[in-house]
Amino acid sequence: MSHFTHISVQTQDFDFAHEYQKLRDSNNSDGALVTFVGLVRDINLEQAVTGLFLEHYPAMTQKVLNQIVEQAREKWQLGSISVIHRVGQLCVSDQIVFVGVTSQHRQSAYHANEFIMDYLKTQAPFWKKETTTLGDMWIEAKDSDLDKSKRW
Amino acid sequence: MLTILFFGHLKEIVETDCLRIELSQNKDSIDTVAKLRKLLQLKGNLWTEYLQYGKALVAVNQEISNEDTALNDGDEIAFFPPVTGG
């Protein structure tokens, strides 16, 4: 096996152990593997959330995710990268997103993982609509997410 | 022909997924994003408010663009609210 980039936008769930193993098996030279998983919360802005719908712009999503991963590779020396983002109807506690990065030493993998998530949240064309006990509500973008993406 | 797409909350507000505009009818007028935005805002009410610069982001051929970006026949232009994935 050798280093790889895997990007997938999908409705189906992913198996964390399987994705982790693929990254681990991809080479023997990397000593660090950092993963992040985003989950559907049951509360947002003090409202009880019962479900989440994720819309995206298919033709653009893949392009943007590719660009984000390329930018990460330019900034840090990285091994394998896996980005999986789900779309469609999700339930509370479902997995939304997986980002896994390997590198020789931990700092690059930590930074790149955070960079990919910060950029994904502010650049990739996904929109969340929450189902709450008070009705459906589109989530509004947060300034704090924009600030986080600016620090890189 | 320009294809214009709407996503997220904006799509529900303007009650449209997709519009097509024939350039031959508006040849001189729609050669930038700013001019297309202005034309769509002429539809009035919610269109005027929610397509405002700053409120609706724009991508031309799937690349985030600005108001000066040139438009050409066959382009796909998408308007959408700030993104909220992850």
Side-chain angles (χ1 to χ4, degrees):
Chain A
M1 286 282 279
S2 57
H3 289 139
F4 66 82
T5 295
H6 171 71
I7 295 172
S8 174
V9 179
Q10 59 190 51
T11 52
Q12 69 268 33
D13 199 8
F14 52 84
D15 177 6
F16 179 87
H18 177 69
E19 300 308 326
Y20 166 77
Q21 199 59 43
K22 277 200 296 187
L23 288 164
R24 229 185 115 183
D25 290 345
S26 68
N27 72 94
N28 289 323
S29 56
D30 287 343
L33 196 175
V34 172
T35 59
F36 171 82
V37 175
L39 306 169
V40 180
R41 286 183 297 174
D42 68 354
I43 196 153
N44 190 24
L45 302 173
E46 295 173 15
Q47 285 305 318
V49 174
T50 53
L52 184 73
F53 181 77
L54 261 150
E55 180 177 304
H56 75 131
Y57 177 8
M60 185 171 165
T61 316
Q62 195 74 30
K63 265 193 191 179
V64 173
L65 294 178
N66 284 334
Q67 287 163 358
I68 294 171
V69 167
E70 272 169 37
Q71 281 174 272
R73 286 198 182 280
E74 281 166 21
K75 282 180 179 285
W76 297 280
Q77 191 73 38
L78 304 171
S80 293
I81 302 179
S82 178
V83 179
I84 302 171
H85 203 297
R86 294 179 68 197
V87 290
Q89 187 62 52
L90 302 180
C91 303
V92 167
S93 92
D94 274 356
Q95 303 185 113
I96 306 170
V97 59
F98 174 89
V99 176
V101 180
T102 75
S103 63
Q104 283 188 2
H105 303 288
R106 72 181 183 281
Q107 199 177 27
S108 299
Y110 266 131
H111 286 169
N113 195 302
E114 221 177 342
F115 168 87
I116 290 169
M117 272 310 298
D118 284 351
Y119 268 60
L120 186 155
K121 280 184 99 73
T122 53
Q123 317 263 317
F126 293 101
W127 299 275
K128 283 179 184 154
K129 187 194 214 176
E130 282 176 345
T131 316
T132 76
T133 43
L134 291 180
D136 292 354
M137 275 186 268
W138 288 95
I139 295 182
E140 291 201 18
K142 290 192 212 113
D143 288 342
S144 59
D145 285 334
L146 212 53
D147 292 342
K148 277 182 204 147
S149 76
K150 283 181 184 150
R151 69 195 155 135
W152 304 104
Chain B
M1 179 100 77
L2 298 177
T3 299
I4 301 147
L5 307 175
F6 302 93
F7 290 96
H9 191 199
L10 183 62
K11 178 176 79 180
E12 290 184 357
I13 286 167
V14 299
E15 298 180 320
T16 313
D17 290 25
C18 181
L19 273 183
R20 293 192 208 282
I21 292 182
E22 199 60 65
L23 273 182
S24 55
Q25 291 165 4
N26 298 282
K27 211 168 195 167
D28 302 321
S29 52
I30 325 173
D31 53 1
T32 63
V33 165
K35 287 180 185 171
L36 175 64
R37 194 191 286 274
K38 213 164 223 174
L39 181 81
L40 293 172
Q41 284 187 290
L42 288 178
K43 287 173 175 284
N45 299 327
L46 295 171
W47 289 81
T48 313
E49 186 184 344
Y50 282 89
L51 276 167
Q52 271 178 61
Y53 173 73
K55 222 167 194 171
L57 304 180
V58 63
V60 176
N61 298 327
Q62 302 93 40
E63 297 278 351
I64 287 287
S65 300
N66 56 46
E67 296 304 285
D68 300 331
T69 303
L71 298 182
N72 295 295
D73 201 18
D75 282 350
E76 178 177 288
I77 301 106
F79 288 96
F80 45 78
V83 302
T84 55

